[in-house]
Amino acid sequence: PPKIIEGYDQTKWGQSPAELQMVVPGAQLVKEKRGYAHYLVPGDGTITEIHYQFLNNQLFHVRLTMDLREDKTAKADPVGLKLIQHTLNEKYFTDPGIVKLLTAANILISVSEAENATAYVIYYNSTIRNQIEKAQADARAAREAEALAERTGDLDELKALADRDAL
């Protein structure tokens, strides 16, 4: 199976920011807010930077910024974008077995145009994000159920109002 099933380069899906910093020295925290953390690592050569995104301290998203331009002043590089798309299609989407593995692992791979004639290659593990969001929703539901249980007196009062057609 392709390595991306487990993670990108030396990283593993679901690992913590501390684990990222052990395997990717120089990863710098760029932004942290409401359970999300975004780390940046400068690239080298064609990959100019790598962005790692975490939700509740679990890696779920990696974005590469790639620059294939020969002329660094060019404002667009449609050929470079097509080359990246072609390469990723050949690597991940021509073999039905690999497509099946990616689908089963909920790994999404996409390419998009970026600023200054660069391109983004995005690797996204939706399983990690879905698990975290489900756990958060379950925790909210449990808190709501607990709050409702604490207010049974209010519920009885509302039922009495409803029985008298006052509600």
Side-chain angles (χ1 to χ4, degrees):
K3 184 167 177 350
I4 199 66
I5 298 293
E6 299 297 321
Y8 173 77
D9 197 24
Q10 296 178 8
T11 65
K12 301 284 183 215
W13 297 119
Q15 76 180 42
S16 70
E19 292 169 312
L20 170 73
Q21 291 176 322
M22 288 182 351
V23 296
V24 183
Q28 295 293 315
L29 178 64
V30 175
K31 186 176 183 181
E32 191 169 24
K33 187 176 183 180
R34 288 184 255 162
Y36 284 92
H38 177 177
Y39 285 78
L40 174 65
V41 176
D44 186 19
T46 301
I47 298 173
T48 60
E49 56 188 18
I50 305 169
H51 297 256
Y52 297 92
Q53 292 184 28
F54 296 80
L55 178 57
N56 285 3
N57 292 317
Q58 293 185 52
L59 178 64
F60 77 100
H61 184 276
V62 176
R63 185 185 81 198
L64 313 178
T65 303
M66 300 188 70
D67 190 350
L68 295 178
R69 297 175 296 168
E70 291 175 353
D71 174 7
K72 297 302 181 190
T73 63
K75 299 295 181 200
D77 186 10
V79 173
L81 184 64
K82 291 240 187 267
L83 288 170
I84 295 167
Q85 289 169 330
H86 176 76
T87 303
L88 289 172
N89 282 336
E90 264 188 17
K91 181 173 181 175
Y92 296 114
F93 303 110
T94 56
D95 180 336
I98 292 175
V99 171
K100 187 175 180 179
L101 289 170
L102 290 170
T103 301
N106 286 321
I107 306 292
L108 307 173
I109 301 170
S110 64
V111 179
S112 64
E113 197 171 7
E115 296 176 354
N116 299 321
T118 61
Y120 293 141
V121 174
I122 297 170
Y123 302 99
Y124 180 88
N125 186 319
S126 59
T127 297
I128 300 278
R129 185 173 181 147
N130 292 343
Q131 288 172 345
I132 291 167
E133 288 177 348
K134 183 182 181 323
Q136 289 172 334
D138 290 348
R140 269 192 310 276
R143 286 191 304 271
E144 289 173 5
E146 186 177 307
L148 282 172
E150 291 175 2
R151 296 185 64 182
T152 56
D154 292 340
L155 182 58
D156 292 340
E157 187 179 323
L158 288 171
K159 284 182 181 178
L161 284 172
D163 288 345
R164 293 192 318 260
D165 288 330
L167 181 64

